[in-house]
Amino acid sequence: MAEKKISQLTAKGATVADTDLLVISESAGGGVYNTKSVTGANVKALVTDANMTTTDITTNDVSTSKHGFAPKAPNDTTKFLRGDGTWAVPASGSSSGKFGIADSAGAYTYYSTLQAAITAATSGQTVEFFTDYTESGAVTIRIKNGVNINGNGHTYTLSANSTSAFDIADSISTIASILNLNVICSGTSSSCLYLSVNTSGTLTLTGSIFKNTSNGTCVSNYANSDIELLDFKGFSNSGVCVNWGSSPNGKLRNAYCYSSSSFGYYGNVRVDNSICISNSNYGLAMSGGIASDCIGVSSGSAGLYCAAGVLNNCKGYSSGSVGIYLIYSNAYSCFGYSTSSYGILFDNEPCRGYNCFGFSTANNGIRIYRYGSGSDLAIYNSTRSEEHTSELQSRFGISYAVF
């Protein structure tokens, strides 16, 4: 090949083949150079991670228009690399969190607060707990129709004052569940669950426990709440455990209500298959409505109190007052037991008892008070004094008084 300048040589294509030869000059010292050659394979072998040097520039960073290097790490563990090639804090979730919602494929989106998870949830989804959580702010979680909560055995604590942990919006029909969750309200004048005006539907609380450790209620109702509460279990320190107020609507079923110093239950909705206990006040106090297959227990007042209502197959126990105390009410197949007063007290007319049994270790089994000259106060097929010997009359007998 005739002598040519490099600029006169035919250009090589973009791809270097392994068999290509590249001429190089190697210094032999003293200004002398030896001409040698390397193959394309030799050149390619030099491009390795160990031979690369990076700098703090962004020229070759990845972008939405090309492949490239990852952007320099921000030294912030709360951030992730977004699809546009920038670092950012997750807006709603990350690869783990305190609360989560699974999609149809079982993949979770995670949230750092219960409020954020509930806000994001849609009907048919379940918000799950993955840890215990304490809310110190005045935050009320609004239960949404069709959105369930699964506590997975964890505890949700609300420490703020004058706030409800959960509520249902006004005039909303809601069908939802709060399952396997321990709810604690420790702030003054707070409630675990608030039923707003004109609400309706069914709220199932299976496996959940509601505790008010201050002076508020576990459940409170504003007015005309037609909600059906199923499988409720609650403990109140000094307030009413379940306070349905004067609302005539709603249902309480399969419940356990306990208060250390107020009513276990107070209201006039239908109560079925429930146990209501108080250390110092009425265990179960019906201001109207119907109670069926219920038990009321108190160590300081009547176990079961009913005014202008109906009792079916109920039992009242008291160690400090009357087992069952009825005013303007009817009782069917009920049992009253007391260790300090009457087993059953029928007080004021109209008031009737059918197939009832009263037992007391300290006074009359059944006691009837009649005010005025009316006659609409009677008992039928119930325990009567003449059915027992004189020795047992003080415990099983009926006492009758007219005022």
Side-chain angles (χ1 to χ4, degrees), residues 128-130 150-154 179-181:
E128 294 189 50
F129 277 66
F130 299 116
N150 187 350
N152 289 318
H154 292 293
L179 310 175
N180 308 312
L181 178 65

Side-chain angles (χ1 to χ4, degrees), residues 253-267:
R253 293 181 173 171
N254 307 328
Y256 180 92
C257 311
Y258 174 88
S259 176
S260 61
S261 60
S262 188
F263 303 109
Y265 166 87
Y266 174 80

Side-chain angles (χ1 to χ4, degrees), residues 9-356:
L9 297 175
T10 303
K12 170 65 180 175
T15 302
V16 177
D18 289 347
T19 57
D20 287 347
L21 293 177
L22 289 84
V23 178
I24 63 172
S25 292
E26 182 183 53
S27 175
V32 178
Y33 293 87
N34 296 323
T35 302
K36 294 184 177 182
S37 67
V38 295
T39 66
N42 296 145
V43 175
K44 292 178 182 179
L46 295 174
V47 185
T48 64
D49 290 343
N51 292 329
M52 293 180 63
T53 300
T54 58
T55 60
D56 189 12
I57 60 175
T58 61
T59 302
N60 290 317
D61 281 359
V62 67
S63 70
T64 57
S65 61
K66 64 180 177 66
H67 300 288
F69 297 115
K72 185 174 66 173
N75 195 27
D76 185 345
T77 59
T78 67
K79 293 181 178 180
F80 74 107
L81 184 59
R82 302 196 321 179
D84 62 357
T86 62
W87 297 96
V89 175
S92 60
S94 62
S95 60
S96 63
K98 298 175 181 178
F99 309 93
I101 302 173
D103 62 18
S104 59
Y108 280 90
T109 300
Y110 296 94
Y111 304 85
S112 60
T113 68
L114 179 57
Q115 182 65 76
I118 292 293
T119 299
T122 59
S123 181
Q125 293 184 321
T126 297
V127 175
E128 294 189 50
F129 277 66
F130 299 116
T131 186
D132 296 344
Y133 185 82
T134 295
E135 178 59 70
S136 57
V139 175
T140 296
I141 304 301
R142 177 145 292 175
I143 299 170
K144 297 167 70 173
N145 183 39
V147 174
N148 301 320
I149 297 173
N150 187 350
N152 289 318
H154 292 293
T155 298
Y156 180 77
T157 301
L158 175 67
S159 60
N161 299 331
S162 304
T163 307
S164 298
F166 297 89
D167 77 355
I168 298 176
D170 295 352
S171 305
I172 297 295
S173 179
T174 302
I175 298 177
S177 300
I178 301 177
L179 310 175
N180 308 312
L181 178 65
N182 300 311
V183 179
I184 298 176
C185 281
S186 58
T188 59
S189 303
S190 294
S191 62
C192 297
L193 175 62
Y194 180 73
L195 306 178
S196 304
V197 61
N198 296 325
T199 55
S200 62
T202 301
L203 184 59
T204 302
L205 307 170
T206 306
S208 294
I209 300 175
F210 296 79
K211 294 181 181 180
N212 194 308
T213 60
S214 185
N215 63 339
T217 64
C218 286
V219 177
S220 60
N221 165 61
Y222 181 73
N224 298 321
S225 177
D226 198 18
I227 284 286
E228 179 179 18
L229 289 186
L230 293 177
D231 302 335
F232 168 81
K233 188 174 186 179
F235 301 83
S236 178
N237 180 49
S238 60
V240 180
C241 183
V242 176
N243 184 4
W244 222 284
S246 59
S247 172
N249 303 316
K251 302 176 185 67
L252 180 67
R253 293 181 173 171
N254 307 328
Y256 180 92
C257 311
Y258 174 88
S259 176
S260 61
S261 60
S262 188
F263 303 109
Y265 166 87
Y266 174 80
N268 60 352
V269 299
R270 184 179 183 93
V271 182
D272 294 324
N273 194 35
S274 297
I275 299 174
C276 303
I277 301 173
S278 174
N279 281 350
S280 62
N281 214 313
Y282 300 135
L284 173 61
M286 301 291 296
S287 58
I290 300 173
S292 298
D293 302 303
C294 292
I295 298 174
V297 180
S298 177
S299 56
S301 189
L304 201 162
Y305 171 86
C306 185
V310 176
L311 303 182
N312 293 313
N313 195 36
C314 292
K315 299 175 179 64
Y317 302 87
S318 177
S319 58
S321 184
V322 180
I324 299 178
Y325 186 5
L326 298 114
I327 300 178
Y328 310 114
S329 300
N330 289 348
Y332 299 85
S333 304
C334 293
F335 172 70
Y337 177 93
S338 175
T339 59
S340 64
S341 185
Y342 313 118
I344 303 176
L345 173 61
F346 293 87
D347 188 3
N348 217 334
E349 54 185 326
C351 200
R352 297 190 177 191
Y354 303 83
N355 303 313
C356 294

